[in-house]
Amino acid sequence: MRLSVIGCGYLGAVHAAAMASIGHEVVGIDVDESKVTALREGRAPFFEPGLPEILTEGVASGGLTFTTDIAAAAGAAVHFIGVGTPQQKDGYGADLTYVNAAVDALLPHLSPGDIVAGKSTVPVGTAAVLAERIAKKGATLVWNPEFLREGWAVKDTIDPDRLVTGVPEGSAGERAADILREVYHPSVAKGTPFIVTDYATAELVKVAANAFLATKISFINAMAEIAEVTGADVTALADAIGHDARIGRRFLGAGVGFGGGCLPKDIRAFSARAEELGRGESVAFLREIDAINLRRRERAVQLVISSLGGSVHGKRVAVLGAAFKPHSDDIRDSPALDVAVRLRGLGADVVVTDPQAIENSRRVHPQLTYIEDRDEALTGADAVVVVTEWDEYRRQLSPEHAASLTHGRIIVDGRNCLDPAAWRAAGWEYYGMGRP
Ligand code: UGA
């Protein structure tokens, strides 16, 4: 099928390349000239495992093209909207500027029978408003949220857990759902659940899923806070409750908490939308989820301060990790960088290292010192803080080797990803999050 994808960020670029890899003819459209140039040359504008391969393949075969010209969308059977919906500058709500601009630009190029598939994460009620404008062109809007995780985005797009499509009532909706089934044919054929529902449910599925994941993380981080005043071990606690299949162990990783371009802004936008709908109290707990999450960053900072005898001023602190999670170079709302910036603000001599995210970090926080080489970053440090659980730090760094480089023997494990016994045995003072 001929498809257009409007917006070539994390979501759109992966979607375009993944759709080409399953045999569609895809044009990716973005207003950012430099992004389009990179993609055209088969270069991914961000770090995402597996993306360069399918990008190069698609571009080389001619089935995947990129342009800044929205007119290139004309003739596609389905137009995916994958632009960003960041947090508003002056509030908690989602900024829909880019979604509205994408639809405005696309409208003149739509033909009767076309499908517009919204993938961006939007406040519930957005699709109903956009649908009317799109229907005037004889086209049909569907809401088809995306559940990809950065670092696994290619796999999550080609082989998702489920597909959700919100459609209008009646035959136009049925036809649109059939077209989406055709788009995702390989997944549908292998039995991936394909859920057809209304717009509001489809929009809500996405924010509800992210709100639930954020809640799970903050729940275990709240338990970490209780563990800290009782001498309990939150990791053992998570293992034990995680054996209950109704609870499950995944997303019970206590530490410096969640960040990134999705979870933090999505729970805030959900709260703001619920307030508008007069149901603020229904998700009032999300404010608490946000607050617990942010407290954990400060906790990591306090651990470094207390371990260094009450002040970090003039002390060299090696911060291992800058990305909001491993397998990503994304630093949006990264707890890791937040910890680094706070320590630096307190007068520490902070050295940050990360296998992928240094370039992005430097752009946003030029005041920090960055060292690419992990061992060089560790050299002479009075304390070490692990804030992103890259394999380079949790598996490939032995406590003995680290001890041969640093000045002090203090390690703060902001992700509870190290073996405390091994580090202590090598002479380190080990501090975890919610661990004795
Ligand atoms: C999240 C969701 O997991 C995806 O399903 C969703 O599609 C995506 O947002 C989106 O809305 O686009 P992502 O932001 O890539 O994906 O990252 P996650 O893997 O969910 O991690 C989010 C944050 O939670 C990271 O900072 C991670 O370190 C943290 N986390 C995760 C924990 O602190 N503890 C855990 O146990 C798990």
Side-chain angles (χ1 to χ4, degrees):
M1 294 173 78
R2 277 185 72 182
L3 312 176
S4 80
V5 179
I6 296 140
C8 293
Y10 285 94
L11 163 57
V14 174
H15 194 69
M19 291 301 104
S21 81
I22 60 170
H24 298 300
E25 192 185 323
V26 186
V27 56
I29 303 164
D30 200 288
V31 290
D32 183 340
E33 188 87 49
S34 65
K35 207 179 272 177
V36 166
T37 306
L39 289 164
R40 254 189 206 148
E41 292 166 2
R43 281 187 289 118
F46 47 85
F47 175 75
E48 184 60 50
L51 179 59
E53 290 81 354
I54 57 168
L55 205 51
T56 321
E57 242 172 65
V59 170
S61 73
L64 177 61
T65 53
F66 293 96
T67 177
T68 52
D69 183 9
I70 188 78
V78 183
H79 310 272
F80 289 97
I81 309 273
V83 294
T85 50
Q87 186 177 327
Q88 283 170 6
K89 289 203 172 57
D90 53 357
Y92 266 14
D95 178 356
L96 294 178
T97 309
Y98 305 109
V99 172
N100 289 324
V103 172
D104 287 343
L106 178 63
L107 279 178
H109 307 288
L110 288 178
S111 300
D114 281 7
I115 304 291
V116 178
K119 295 200 83 62
S120 308
T121 302
V122 292
V124 56
T126 305
V129 176
L130 296 176
E132 281 184 34
R133 302 175 59 204
I134 288 163
K136 284 192 186 129
K137 290 283 181 178
T140 305
L141 177 72
V142 301
W143 212 262
N144 176 222
E146 184 58 63
F147 304 99
L148 64 81
R149 296 158 298 168
E150 286 177 25
W152 306 94
V154 173
K155 187 250 156 218
D156 286 351
T157 306
I158 295 176
D159 184 18
D161 292 342
R162 78 297 211 184
L163 289 152
V164 175
T165 306
V167 300
E169 276 179 15
S171 58
E174 281 166 27
R175 175 179 170 271
D178 284 343
I179 293 175
L180 266 277
R181 273 192 196 92
E182 211 176 313
V183 170
Y184 296 117
H185 173 73
S187 299
V188 174
K190 71 173 266 212
T192 302
F194 187 91
I195 296 145
V196 179
T197 182
D198 54 87
Y199 289 147
T201 306
E203 291 166 320
L204 272 176
V205 168
K206 172 60 194 251
V207 283
N210 277 0
F212 192 87
L213 294 171
T215 302
K216 214 173 164 188
I217 298 168
S218 276
F219 175 83
I220 202 64
N221 278 329
M223 296 305 107
E225 292 185 333
I226 303 295
E228 277 153 13
V229 292
T230 53
D233 183 340
V234 76
T235 304
L237 169 78
D239 290 344
I241 63 172
H243 284 300
D244 184 331
R246 294 169 303 173
I247 296 172
R249 181 63 175 83
R250 294 176 74 187
F251 273 69
L252 285 184
V256 287
F258 59 81
C262 304
L263 262 45
K265 69 128 172 121
D266 286 356
I267 60 168
R268 291 171 196 156
F270 196 8
S271 295
R273 184 64 184 135
E275 290 284 351
E276 282 172 12
L277 294 166
R279 285 286 180 274
E281 73 272 26
S282 304
V283 293
F285 66 92
L286 289 178
R287 261 180 258 137
E288 212 48 57
I289 297 307
D290 203 2
I292 294 166
N293 191 53
L294 296 175
R295 281 204 297 270
R296 300 315 286 165
R297 302 173 181 194
E298 188 51 33
R299 168 70 185 173
V301 171
Q302 290 305 325
L303 274 177
V304 180
I305 296 172
S306 59
S307 67
L308 284 168
S311 169
V312 293
H313 201 270
K315 297 282 170 60
R316 193 172 176 88
V317 181
V319 176
L320 306 191
F324 85 106
K325 67 172 190 181
H327 314 290
S328 172
D329 65 355
D330 197 345
I331 54 150
R332 287 177 293 172
D333 210 340
S334 169
L337 263 186
D338 197 0
V339 167
V341 168
R342 287 179 200 219
L343 286 168
R344 156 92 199 192
L346 293 167
D349 170 16
V350 173
V351 175
V352 180
T353 186
D354 188 285
Q356 293 294 338
I358 289 187
E359 213 181 300
N360 285 342
S361 305
R362 191 178 274 129
R363 216 172 297 130
V364 182
H365 296 292
Q367 78 275 27
L368 296 174
T369 303
Y370 300 96
I371 296 185
E372 282 191 25
D373 185 77
R374 182 200 66 190
D375 286 2
E376 209 182 307
L378 286 168
T379 303
D382 294 300
V384 180
V385 196
V386 180
V387 265
T388 314
E389 68 277 34
W390 286 98
D391 276 350
E392 282 83 343
Y393 316 140
R394 70 182 196 146
R395 290 188 203 282
Q396 296 157 18
L397 177 63
S398 79
E400 293 77 16
H401 179 65
S404 74
L405 300 167
T406 56
H407 176 245
R409 301 280 182 281
I410 292 165
I411 179 110
V412 174
D413 183 2
R415 290 290 181 182
N416 288 348
C417 61
L418 306 174
D419 175 5
W423 283 78
R424 286 185 178 128
W428 289 80
E429 262 177 58
Y430 171 96
Y431 300 93
M433 302 287 288
R435 301 174 107 176

